[in-house]
Amino acid sequence: MKILKKVTTSAAVAANTMLLLAGSAFAQTVDLKPSQASGFSSLGTLTPEKLIPMLIKLLLIVAALVFFFMLVLGGIKWILSGGDKGKTEEARNQITSALVGLVIVFSAWAIAGLIKAFFGVDILNLNLNLSA
């Protein structure tokens, strides 16, 4: 368990370091001055027609990332189990659950694509007419 803590702490520190360095690297190419086309001015045009597809996409992405990291952590637990049957079984169950979750998320995305192909309704880019 001590090794797992060290691995996760090291991974978190590495990820934070990369994120901090990436910001300074991209700052040279991005215009950071507020303008009409960027910033918070576009928030006034945020409508339910735009918000619902954005939330659906965000949920799909977050769910896929969560299940992917559960899969990785299950693999790390398996490696660090040290041959203990209980810990190995727990890691195997976590990996199985993560794979099932990933299959469900990607199936939802594929079903949305099939609905668009067969019925012409794009769930991921809804065009609702709520002002009727």
Side-chain angles (χ1 to χ4, degrees):
M1 216 47 176
K2 213 174 193 183
I3 295 173
L4 180 61
K5 246 185 214 180
K6 287 181 181 180
V7 169
T8 55
T9 304
S10 299
V13 168
N16 286 331
T17 303
M18 283 190 258
L19 287 174
L20 290 173
L21 294 177
S24 62
F26 289 121
Q28 297 173 4
T29 60
V30 176
D31 182 18
L32 297 177
K33 296 176 186 173
S35 66
Q36 279 304 96
S38 66
F40 296 110
S41 62
S42 62
L43 288 178
T45 62
L46 193 60
T47 60
E49 296 94 15
K50 295 177 183 176
L51 186 63
I52 293 171
M54 286 174 28
L55 288 175
I56 292 172
K57 289 177 189 175
L58 180 67
L59 284 174
L60 283 173
I61 291 170
V62 168
L65 287 173
V66 166
F67 288 125
F68 175 74
F69 284 116
M70 281 179 58
L71 180 67
V72 170
L73 286 175
I76 291 171
K77 281 184 181 179
W78 190 324
I79 291 170
L80 298 177
S81 68
D84 183 18
K85 278 195 168 204
K87 290 182 180 179
T88 305
E89 187 66 31
E90 181 182 328
R92 185 181 301 138
N93 289 339
Q94 182 173 355
I95 291 171
T96 304
S97 298
L99 288 174
V100 168
L102 279 173
V103 167
I104 290 171
V105 168
F106 288 120
S107 295
W109 176 74
I111 289 170
L114 286 173
I115 290 172
K116 180 182 177 186
F118 287 124
F119 302 111
V121 178
D122 192 1
I123 296 173
L124 299 178
N125 291 314
L126 288 176
N127 189 5
L128 302 175
N129 198 359
L130 298 177
S131 61

